[in-house]
Amino acid sequence: MTHLQAGLSPETLEKARLELNENPDTLHQDIQEVRDMVITRPDIGFLRTDDAFILRFLRARKFHHFEAFRLLAQYFEYRQQNLDMFKSFKATDPGIKQALKDGFPGGLANLDHYGRKILVLFAANWDQSRYTLVDILRAILLSLEAMIEDPELQVNGFVLIIDWSNFTFKQASKLTPSMLRLAIEGLQDSFPARFGGIHFVNQPWYIHALYTVIRPFLKEKTRKRIFLHGNNLNSLHQLIHPDILPSEFGGMLPPYDMGTWARTLLDHEYDDDSEYNVDSYSMHMKEVEKELSPKSMKRSQSVVDPTVLKHMDKHEEENMQPLLSLD
């Protein structure tokens, strides 16, 4: 075991070896091979290329070198192309702070039986008068940045539960194609996190319809990990035991405290709302509308050397549950 694996339990070390192809004897060589590819993308500013940082991308892509490098490139490219999202990328930013305090995202105290962190979103908590959907996405990305520092989560990954109860049609109308694309690019294509399951519960018909629209734009691997439970919480409990779930999901724990994760990130600044004011929010909204205009949301095309493409490993993760539609 190298110092780069020091934060892993014996069980997780074995999981990394068996499932992710992580080999302590070749770890530094694996990292260097990804680092050597940086020169092939001079159009991207790679702000971090240290060993620990590159390692999380290798783990996210099962130590397939080119796939790990492509994810690393997309990580920084996404930030280059969406500079406004990352100008004030901190928990005390007014929009991010309000989103965090409303539970975007939340995190359960207990891990699931695979050692995965369970993230929760209560969609109806979105207060459109105080922060935008982009702020919610920023809060989620910021939270993932903090959580992915844990090497155990780099290996074991995350599970996401989204409760759509009382999410109105008016709120859903704000989920525009450009906004959804921004989220998909940021979470699916540009972040080194392993998501073992994304669970929708209590979704209304218009969220069902929306998912049908975006489904073709999701990777096959992502589609296989999305479970549509509706109000059938028993099907959720077949995958995540109710012992570790709050009562909102039919679990045996007390109702979830929306401020739990926010207090972790904000610490003593959790109760300080002095940074928020209506005028600054209105100016922020105008910037967001400009950012999400069709002209500014043109999808970028990464230049990939075709001679490298032929070496890409096409193996997908196995043994995943099939898509459930249980309404």
Side-chain angles (χ1 to χ4, degrees):
M1 182 177 76
T2 75
H3 72 281
L4 291 169
Q5 297 178 307
L8 299 179
S9 68
E11 295 79 14
T12 307
L13 274 171
E14 183 66 3
K15 183 176 183 178
R17 184 183 71 84
L18 293 176
E19 296 185 16
L20 306 185
N21 307 306
E22 185 167 329
N23 183 347
D25 297 330
T26 62
L27 199 56
H28 289 283
Q29 180 183 341
D30 292 328
I31 291 169
Q32 189 58 47
E33 289 203 25
V34 173
R35 188 183 287 118
D36 288 344
M37 297 184 197
V38 167
I39 196 173
T40 67
R41 291 299 304 272
D43 55 313
I44 296 175
F46 291 87
L47 303 181
R48 277 191 69 179
T49 57
D50 56 276
D51 287 359
F53 189 69
I54 290 178
L55 178 56
R56 65 186 64 172
F57 291 86
L58 280 163
R59 285 171 170 163
R61 290 296 181 264
K62 290 189 165 184
F63 278 76
H64 299 151
H65 295 160
F66 178 74
E67 288 296 325
F69 169 70
R70 184 162 68 171
L71 181 61
L72 177 68
Q74 288 172 172
Y75 174 92
F76 285 114
E77 188 175 34
Y78 182 78
R79 281 148 182 75
Q80 275 183 203
Q81 293 172 346
N82 301 285
L83 290 175
D84 287 344
M85 282 181 60
F86 299 95
K87 275 182 180 176
S88 179
F89 195 53
K90 55 187 179 181
T92 54
D93 172 85
I96 292 178
K97 182 176 181 179
Q98 294 300 326
L100 287 170
K101 292 178 75 170
D102 278 352
F104 294 106
L108 301 188
N110 297 304
L111 305 175
D112 76 355
H113 60 293
Y114 293 113
R116 299 179 298 200
K117 180 74 173 179
I118 303 174
L119 304 178
V120 295
L121 299 176
F122 295 88
N125 282 6
W126 175 31
D127 184 347
Q128 299 179 66
S129 68
R130 306 201 78 183
Y131 51 91
T132 68
L133 282 170
V134 173
D135 289 325
I136 292 176
L137 176 58
R138 294 168 72 221
I140 292 171
L141 288 171
L142 180 68
S143 298
L144 287 173
E145 290 283 2
M147 295 176 186
I148 206 67
E149 292 290 330
D150 182 349
E152 287 278 323
L153 295 183
Q154 292 174 21
V155 175
N156 293 322
F158 300 85
V159 172
L160 175 62
I161 306 175
I162 307 177
D163 186 354
W164 296 98
S165 300
N166 303 314
F167 189 71
T168 67
F169 188 85
K170 181 179 179 181
Q171 287 175 307
S173 69
K174 302 294 183 182
L175 296 172
T176 62
S178 56
M179 181 63 237
L180 293 169
R181 187 167 64 193
L182 189 70
I184 291 170
E185 289 176 351
L187 295 169
Q188 172 186 261
D189 303 331
S190 309
F191 197 85
R194 306 181 69 223
F195 280 95
I198 302 171
H199 301 270
F200 286 14
V201 298
N202 301 313
Q203 72 274 9
W205 66 267
Y206 38 86
I207 295 300
H208 240 310
L210 188 64
Y211 173 67
T212 302
V213 171
I214 68 168
R215 192 173 186 273
F217 302 99
L218 300 173
K219 293 178 179 177
E220 179 63 24
K221 186 187 295 186
T222 302
R223 292 199 295 266
K224 287 181 178 179
R225 297 175 182 181
I226 295 178
F227 302 84
L228 308 178
H229 299 280
N231 58 9
N232 184 359
L233 295 180
N234 287 330
S235 66
L236 175 67
H237 298 163
Q238 291 172 17
L239 301 172
I240 305 176
H241 200 279
D243 281 354
I244 61 173
L245 291 175
S247 59
E248 293 94 332
F249 302 123
M252 300 179 182
L253 299 180
Y256 180 71
D257 178 355
M258 299 298 167
T260 301
W261 173 245
R263 280 188 286 271
T264 300
L265 280 186
L266 289 160
D267 197 16
H268 63 279
E269 295 178 335
Y270 177 85
D271 294 316
D272 179 12
D273 287 327
S274 60
E275 294 183 69
Y276 174 82
N277 65 75
V278 175
D279 290 338
S280 64
Y281 174 78
S282 298
M283 292 177 64
H284 176 57
M285 282 291 290
K286 291 178 181 178
E287 287 298 317
V288 169
E289 289 172 0
K290 180 181 178 182
E291 178 185 336
L292 293 178
S293 66
K295 183 177 180 181
S296 63
M297 286 296 297
K298 289 182 178 178
R299 189 179 183 88
S300 66
Q301 297 294 326
S302 298
V303 179
V304 179
D305 186 344
T307 62
V308 181
L309 280 174
K310 66 181 182 181
H311 298 294
M312 289 171 56
D313 196 324
K314 295 183 180 179
H315 291 303
E316 297 289 337
E317 289 192 13
E318 299 177 347
N319 302 321
M320 295 306 301
Q321 297 281 353
L323 175 68
L324 300 179
S325 182
L326 299 169
D327 264 356

